Amino acid sequence: MHTWVTAGFLSLLATLSLAADLPKAVTQADFPPTDPALVLLGRDLFFDPILSGNRNIACATCHHPSLASADGMSLGLGEGAVDLGPNRRVDPSNAPQARIPRNAPALFNLGAYEFGSLFHDGRVEADPHAPFGMRMPEGAALERPVASVLTAQAMMPPTSFDEMAGQDQENPVALAARDRRFGGEGGVWDLLCQRIEAIPAYADRFARLLPPGRKLHFTDVARALAEFETYEFQSINSPFDRYLRGDADALNPQQIAGMQVFYGKGNCASCHSGPFQTNHSFHAIGLPQLGPGKEAGGYADRGRIVVTGDPEDRYRFRTPSLRNVAITGPYGHNGAYADLEGMVRHHLAPIRSLAGYDRSQARLHALPDAPDWQAMEDFDEVLRIAEATEIAPVSLSEDEIAALLAFLGALTDPQARSGRLGAPSSVPSGLPMDRLN
């Protein structure tokens, strides 16, 4: 039998055996409609450093379209650094106090209806029992309703010292953030709204979008940001998408073989299920811990338990969508693996991978004297991470791993490397924008 006939026959068998396991094709109906005026307003705000305490960092600094909606690093540098992505470096006149403790996640498809929690630990989450139906981090109670979880999430980065607010005593926004005064008069959100209203190009555009006479509120700013993110990072035209829509030639034989591993022997779809390859749940997978951690005075990051208080949630983190996964490394809540194959192999043998972790897998900017490896040098902490791990080892051949990686590559939308609109030529504040050289 000719090779191409064999490949076609095997492809047909694979398709038939997987038909019940494959997700439905994603369509425009999976997303809320967007308002073009809000999208363009949100684009300007997304790239404008006006939303940071020191007017030097934008949302795009850590989530740039040309860097696949993230920053290409394991743990980024926010306040106290300059430049973009891998080129970012310490500002010696105002060095960062610490790395940002978690990896900047990709933003693809987060505006879809099905996303009900965001951040690695799910600390912003739709909850009918919470005020305005949205559970927020402590001290960040909503003052007004918001349109989506993505809108609520967009309110948080400007309140973080290391991300956007600035270090203590540097500016009024940083001072308000230090005191955890996010809402109310003189809070972080109010101060930023005052800045935006002082810029005619923003004030006029918001005035046309808001009810007559209503004062700008930061929920309006966050809504515009979310509207832009929903449009800009919608990503539903990968080869896999086309395959699900009926194009039998969209995947090659190796990718189809990898799809069979993904939805079968590899057990990947037990967590990475559904149209966006996520079950929106939280799992402990034994990832090595690096960086400053998320606990006061320590280096641990225990994940979801800090949100829920449930001991079962120790070291659990949100299952990410795998859309565009081949171009959105490093991987994991702290970017422990710069290489996708390394992350795949970790899933196959998590305890062994944790014990033998190669620290060169982390992609980190130079930051003198940063305590990056304290957790991994604490035997008891490593043991606690291992004991909490809940995924079982899986045995795959080298050919099956290669096929699985080929399938993961087929989840890449060609437009994901640049975004749908990309950056504006300038922003209304007149401040300089971060650009990838």
Side-chain angles (χ1 to χ4, degrees):
M1 186 179 293
H2 293 295
T3 302
W4 66 269
V5 175
T6 303
F9 180 68
L10 292 176
S11 172
L12 175 62
L13 289 179
T15 301
L16 292 174
S17 66
L18 288 173
D21 299 318
L22 294 179
K24 69 178 182 67
V26 179
T27 70
Q28 197 64 50
D30 293 297
F31 297 84
T34 53
D35 180 326
L38 265 178
V39 168
L40 293 176
L41 176 55
R43 179 173 73 157
D44 284 348
L45 290 163
F46 189 85
F47 286 92
D48 199 331
I50 196 68
L51 294 182
S52 61
N54 290 324
R55 296 176 172 85
N56 58 346
I57 296 171
C59 303
T61 304
C62 294
H63 298 285
H64 204 279
S66 61
L67 291 168
S69 79
D71 67 353
M73 302 301 293
S74 296
L75 301 175
L77 296 176
E79 180 56 48
V82 296
D83 220 323
L84 186 63
N87 298 327
R88 197 159 175 77
R89 62 195 185 279
V90 169
D91 178 356
S93 66
N94 185 31
Q97 294 183 352
R99 300 187 195 281
I100 295 173
R102 288 180 178 160
N103 175 258
L107 303 182
F108 294 111
N109 298 317
L110 298 186
Y113 287 119
E114 73 170 59
F115 284 84
S117 66
L118 292 174
F119 288 111
H120 289 290
D121 55 12
R123 62 186 181 274
V124 170
E125 186 171 23
D127 181 351
H129 304 294
F132 302 114
M134 199 70 61
R135 184 165 66 180
M136 296 289 286
E138 183 180 356
L142 291 176
E143 300 172 312
R144 296 173 53 86
V146 293
S148 66
V149 176
L150 188 56
T151 302
Q153 184 277 333
M155 300 183 69
M156 296 310 301
T159 69
S160 167
F161 296 123
D162 294 328
E163 294 182 46
M164 297 182 75
Q167 297 170 22
D168 191 14
Q169 306 294 328
E170 286 187 335
N171 63 74
V173 172
L175 289 172
R178 179 200 63 185
D179 297 336
R180 298 195 67 78
R181 290 185 293 110
F182 302 156
E185 185 176 356
V188 172
W189 297 329
D190 177 54
L191 292 172
L192 294 176
C193 282
Q194 291 179 38
R195 285 187 187 177
I196 291 168
E197 288 186 305
I199 299 172
Y202 280 135
D204 292 346
R205 291 160 78 183
F206 272 114
R208 291 196 294 269
L209 293 166
L210 297 178
R214 182 162 79 71
K215 183 181 178 182
L216 179 69
H217 190 274
F218 202 74
T219 51
D220 304 314
V221 176
R223 180 188 173 200
L225 288 168
E227 200 89 348
F228 167 70
E229 292 174 40
T230 298
Y231 180 87
E232 177 74 356
F233 301 115
Q234 184 185 109
S235 192
I236 58 173
N237 195 34
S238 69
F240 183 57
D241 287 301
R242 298 196 298 273
Y243 182 85
L244 292 177
R245 294 183 193 127
D247 181 356
D249 298 323
L251 301 180
N252 64 38
Q254 187 184 35
Q255 291 167 336
I256 290 176
M259 181 174 67
Q260 195 164 27
V261 173
F262 185 94
Y263 287 100
K265 182 179 178 181
N267 201 33
C268 310
S270 62
C271 298
H272 293 285
S273 57
F276 297 105
Q277 285 78 48
T278 173
N279 61 2
H280 300 288
S281 190
F282 300 83
H283 301 280
I285 65 171
L287 278 178
Q289 175 59 26
L290 64 140
K294 287 287 286 187
E295 296 190 12
Y299 42 76
D301 190 339
R302 296 183 299 151
R304 180 72 169 166
I305 187 175
V306 178
V307 175
T308 66
D310 185 346
E312 293 297 314
D313 283 334
R314 289 183 311 131
Y315 302 101
R316 284 180 172 170
F317 296 90
R318 187 170 64 86
T319 302
S321 167
L322 296 184
R323 292 315 187 97
N324 303 309
V325 67
I327 62 171
T328 54
Y331 306 98
H333 72 274
N334 54 16
Y337 290 93
D339 178 70
L340 181 57
E341 181 176 343
M343 188 61 167
V344 167
R345 290 183 183 274
H346 175 89
H347 281 74
L348 302 181
I351 304 302
R352 184 177 67 195
S353 184
L354 171 64
Y357 177 65
D358 177 4
R359 297 181 185 183
S360 69
Q361 273 282 335
R363 187 176 296 162
L364 299 168
H365 300 104
L367 183 61
D369 302 320
D372 293 323
W373 302 109
Q374 288 179 307
M376 294 302 291
E377 289 165 0
D378 180 342
F379 178 81
D380 291 337
E381 179 62 15
V382 175
L383 185 60
R384 286 188 286 268
I385 294 171
E387 289 175 337
T389 301
E390 57 189 296
I391 57 173
V394 175
S395 179
L396 295 181
S397 70
E398 291 300 312
D399 286 346
E400 287 170 327
I401 292 172
L404 179 56
L405 289 167
F407 170 66
L408 294 176
L411 301 177
T412 305
D413 184 327
Q415 200 167 43
R417 297 180 185 275
S418 60
R420 300 175 76 187
L421 292 175
S425 58
S426 62
V427 289
S429 69
L431 292 167
M433 295 164 50
D434 285 315
R435 300 183 186 276
L436 188 64
N437 297 324

